[in-house]
Amino acid sequence: MSNSGGMMALSQPSQLAAKQYGVTKPISRAGPTAADLQRTLELEKFLVHSGLYESEEEAAKREEVLLRLGQIVKDWVKQLTGLRGYTDQMVEEANAVIFTFGSYRLGVHGPGADIDTLCIGPSYVNREADFFFVLHDILANMDEVSELQPVPDAHVPVMKFKFDGISIDLLYASISCLVVPENLDISDVSVLYNVDEPTVRSLNGCRVADQILKLVPNVEHFRTTLRCLKFWAKRRGVYSNVTGFLGGVNWAILVARVCQLYPNAVPSMLVSRFFRVYTQWRWPNPVMLCPIEENELGFSVWDPRKKPCDRTHRMPIITPAYPCMNSSYNVSTSTLRVMMEQFHYGNKICEEIDLTKACWSRMFEPYLFFESYKNYLQVDIVAADADDLRTWKGWVESRLRQLTLMIERDTLGKLQCHPYPHDYVDASKQCAHCAFFMGLQRKQGETVQEGQQFDIRDTVDEFRHSVNMYMFWRPGMKIHVSHVRRRQIPSYVLPNGYNKRPRPSKPTSQVEEPVKSFHVTEVYGSEHVDGTRKRKNEDMAGEKYDVIAKRLSSSAESHDPISSNILDKSVDILRSSTRNRMCLFEVNRFEVLASNGFSADAMSDAQKVRPVESIELSYRGKNDLDKGIASSEQEPECASNSSVITSATSDGGSSDDAGIESVADCAEDNMVGVEGTVREGDEMGSLQDAAREGDPVARLENTVTSAKGLMQVSFGTVRS
């Protein structure tokens, strides 16, 4: 274990009564009990056994790669200095330096993790030509470098590659000096003089990491807690900034804030307090490690009073280095809901651990995404080869958040989406292919009204159009969006035995009353099932056809005479549809209509994909029969089957909306509702002491201040 401090010493910490960390006083300065120390030992043992620490050999290899990369960029700058006609002395003094940030700089990286790096060069070496072309060509010609992928159009321009097997994300920043000093202090605001916005964003990663480490009371406790919670977030499917959840820097700031609120707590205490605090946090009140500062440089900082766009942020987590920004602007209403549900889950397990009713492994059980919803959107992407798929997949993944926002917008928030931040590959397919999935459900507590519809066909078309605007699009890059039911989830996304597990029954308190409106309406749809279930559906369909045949026969006897052979042929036609994979379903309300979006010729190398024709959520009355029959087009090699009609109700997930307004186990009903924005001109109130000695419930006030006194908000009560 390296760059992480290894296993911490579990000695009783000294009381840090003198110094205050953060924008408010701590909730509690209490140190650990013997039980807390024992739980921390057990937690660290679990993290080690889970393989979260790298070996000494890998740590040494990382350091060697960084030294080698540092020498490469120095030689690159010297080469450009000579080509631009500078003197020999200038060429000799020319320099570039490498800084690290992210999980590696914070000391919480694990085996196989990439290294976030920043190259800082002189003012005459630019990003557009020198970095993305000259340095790119130098790296491309090196045997140690593989999977080189430039991303110049990203929000933070980056070059991704592997160097001797170690994944590297390399950024570049050109600062306003001719010679970059070897001992450059990147925390000094002077590095921001005369630089553009992309350069500020590139520099901010390193500056934020350094500030976080300076603003926590105990770095080793912070690292262990952060390592634990990052692992938990990945297991529970809420670790992905690009998908609309939280990334590394977001989790680091959240953990650092809890460390400030409990300065003498050990990791087992901090993990428990983390969930206790954030299940009660009144979003969109911001999480901050220090006051927001303004500077004469004039860069934009997060300020909901002045910038309307900042008022729309659902879960503000503010970076501690100038210019302070919201690092979690990607979070949407849907992803916030999912994270709050997971925070409540973590809080419940921690309470059980504190009562010795559960062990740490229980908290890290993986989230069963494919058992949590009845309906899913499946986004299949294909490309001509693996290299094209790598770039195409990165672009599509970065746009999935937009699909979530579009669906929220077009359904007025009544259709909830849960994008899952993992991609899946069917190893049996011949094409370069991967798939993403998104859970769908009606918003909990919404009353279904007669005739209510959620038609998202135009939404999906808009999403596909935006994706196809990819600047580096190449022939063969295709995207297909289809609707699938839970039983149609392709087997390649499920671990062995996953779909055979009995689904856990809900506790008695969570059993929903039967919804009488969800029963029989006869509709037709396509099906993709196998084995017993398929035969069962066919038998059910056969029984339905027998009923229809009897009705036909009865109608024939009472009206026009029909020859028995014509009637038999009609029945045969009805029965034959089961052999064509047309099954009968009984559904009533909230149905999802989606047609198979692949063309019959999609077996070609280009994997032609045609747009989704219909994705619609509709409310249907008891007697409203859908007579549409799915297309019987052949399913292509890389396509997943799609259901035409299915129920859009949640099944297996939480039946209650884990709303951000609810607060559990508060000793006093004194939660203070505060708007997420403050109008300009509002006067600032004075802070009251939140941590009363001997009081088990302390009032925590989260203060957002700046040189001008930006804003002050409170979010309620938190147990100490």
Side-chain angles (χ1 to χ4, degrees), residues 94 132 214 326 360 364 390 422 462 490 494 503 536 554 611 679:
F132 279 113
K214 291 176 182 177
N326 177 22
W360 286 109
F364 298 93
R390 187 184 308 112
H422 296 285
E462 180 183 352
L494 306 175
R503 296 180 58 235
K536 180 179 179 181
S554 174
R679 292 183 296 272

Side-chain angles (χ1 to χ4, degrees), residues 599-674:
S599 66
D601 298 327
M603 290 289 290
S604 64
D605 293 337
Q607 292 301 322
K608 297 179 181 179
V609 181
R610 62 187 175 88
V612 171
E613 292 178 355
S614 172
I615 296 181
E616 177 184 352
L617 285 142
S618 63
Y619 172 86
R620 296 186 178 276
K622 180 176 294 186
N623 298 319
D624 185 11
L625 303 184
D626 189 322
K627 297 180 175 60
I629 297 180
S631 170
S632 59
E633 291 178 328
Q634 181 181 359
E635 182 180 309
E637 176 74 13
C638 290
S640 66
N641 199 10
S642 62
S643 172
V644 174
I645 299 176
T646 180
S647 169
T649 57
S650 174
D651 184 49
S654 174
S655 62
D656 298 324
D657 185 13
I660 59 177
E661 297 299 326
S662 62
V663 181
D665 299 329
C666 284
E668 299 175 285
D669 185 17
N670 60 355
M671 296 296 294
V672 180
V674 180

Side-chain angles (χ1 to χ4, degrees), residues 300-368:
S300 176
V301 298
W302 186 81
D303 187 348
R305 300 173 308 171
K306 300 178 181 178
K307 296 193 292 184
C309 61
D310 289 348
R311 301 172 196 165
T312 66
H313 295 168
R314 299 287 186 263
M315 192 181 190
I317 302 174
I318 311 304
T319 56
Y322 176 82
C324 298
M325 308 173 184
N326 177 22
S327 61
S328 54
Y329 62 89
N330 278 352
V331 174
S332 67
T333 301
S334 290
T335 53
L336 176 59
R337 171 188 61 84
V338 172
M339 286 188 283
M340 290 302 298
E341 289 177 353
Q342 293 306 316
F343 286 165
H344 281 279
Y345 168 84
N347 189 50
K348 177 184 176 183
I349 301 302
C350 282
E351 289 175 352
E352 294 179 0
I353 292 173
D354 289 343
L355 296 174
T356 66
K357 293 182 178 180
C359 56
W360 286 109
S361 60
R362 171 84 183 283
M363 194 176 78
F364 298 93
E365 291 178 354
Y367 176 64
L368 301 180

Side-chain angles (χ1 to χ4, degrees), residues 21 113 116 137 171 196 272 334 357-358 370 416 454 530 666 673:
Y21 291 85
D116 295 310
D137 291 344
L171 280 55
D196 58 13
S272 176
S334 290
K357 293 182 178 180
F370 293 108
Q416 295 179 332
F454 296 102
D530 54 13
C666 284

Side-chain angles (χ1 to χ4, degrees), residues 47-120:
L47 297 179
V48 171
H49 289 169
S50 298
L52 299 186
Y53 294 88
E54 68 178 354
S55 65
E56 293 182 359
E57 293 77 11
E58 186 175 358
K61 185 176 182 180
R62 287 179 184 274
E63 294 174 1
E64 180 182 345
V65 165
L66 287 174
L67 288 174
R68 182 81 175 92
L69 185 60
Q71 189 58 51
I72 291 171
V73 297
K74 291 179 190 297
D75 295 341
W76 163 62
V77 169
K78 290 181 182 294
Q79 174 187 339
L80 291 174
T81 305
L83 290 174
R84 293 195 169 129
Y86 287 96
T87 64
D88 292 342
Q89 181 180 355
M90 190 70 174
V91 172
E92 182 67 24
E93 294 177 350
N95 190 32
V97 293
I98 291 288
F99 288 88
T100 61
F101 60 101
S103 62
Y104 187 83
R105 175 68 184 95
L106 293 173
V108 295
H109 64 286
D114 59 4
I115 306 178
D116 295 310
T117 56
L118 168 67
C119 173
I120 297 183

Side-chain angles (χ1 to χ4, degrees), residues 322-462:
Y322 176 82
C324 298
M325 308 173 184
N326 177 22
S327 61
S328 54
Y329 62 89
N330 278 352
V331 174
S332 67
T333 301
S334 290
T335 53
L336 176 59
R337 171 188 61 84
V338 172
M339 286 188 283
M340 290 302 298
E341 289 177 353
Q342 293 306 316
F343 286 165
H344 281 279
Y345 168 84
N347 189 50
K348 177 184 176 183
I349 301 302
C350 282
E351 289 175 352
E352 294 179 0
I353 292 173
D354 289 343
L355 296 174
T356 66
K357 293 182 178 180
C359 56
W360 286 109
S361 60
R362 171 84 183 283
M363 194 176 78
F364 298 93
E365 291 178 354
Y367 176 64
L368 301 180
F369 175 70
F370 293 108
E371 290 186 10
S372 298
Y373 298 90
K374 277 188 175 180
N375 301 280
Y376 299 85
L377 283 183
Q378 178 174 338
V379 181
D380 289 282
I381 59 174
V382 294
D385 53 44
D387 289 337
D388 282 356
L389 181 65
R390 187 184 308 112
T391 58
W392 182 229
K393 181 182 76 172
W395 168 251
V396 173
E397 186 177 18
S398 72
R399 306 303 298 175
L400 287 178
R401 181 180 70 92
Q402 296 300 323
L403 178 57
T404 302
L405 295 175
M406 290 173 184
I407 293 175
E408 289 178 355
R409 176 199 66 196
D410 294 346
T411 64
L412 303 178
K414 295 183 179 181
L415 178 61
Q416 295 179 332
C417 310
H418 179 176
Y420 201 51
H422 296 285
D423 61 281
Y424 297 90
V425 178
D426 187 355
S428 67
K429 303 299 182 184
Q430 299 298 320
C431 60
H433 156 271
C434 76
F436 295 95
F437 291 85
M438 180 182 296
L440 294 175
Q441 70 175 10
R442 175 171 53 85
K443 184 178 180 180
Q444 298 296 315
E446 284 289 320
T447 302
V448 182
Q449 299 177 355
E450 187 77 25
Q452 181 180 6
Q453 291 189 350
F454 296 102
D455 187 345
I456 58 173
R457 289 174 295 183
D458 291 341
T459 307
V460 171
D461 287 342
E462 180 183 352

Side-chain angles (χ1 to χ4, degrees), residues 16 54 72 79 126 132 204 231 234-235 257 268-269 303 339 348 389 478 502 602 675 683 718:
L16 303 175
E54 68 178 354
I72 291 171
Q79 174 187 339
N126 64 60
F132 279 113
N204 226 27
F231 182 50
K234 292 174 182 177
R235 297 285 284 178
R257 183 65 183 128
S268 64
M269 299 169 64
D303 187 348
M339 286 188 283
K348 177 184 176 183
L389 181 65
K478 303 289 183 182
E675 293 293 332
E683 296 182 358
V718 177

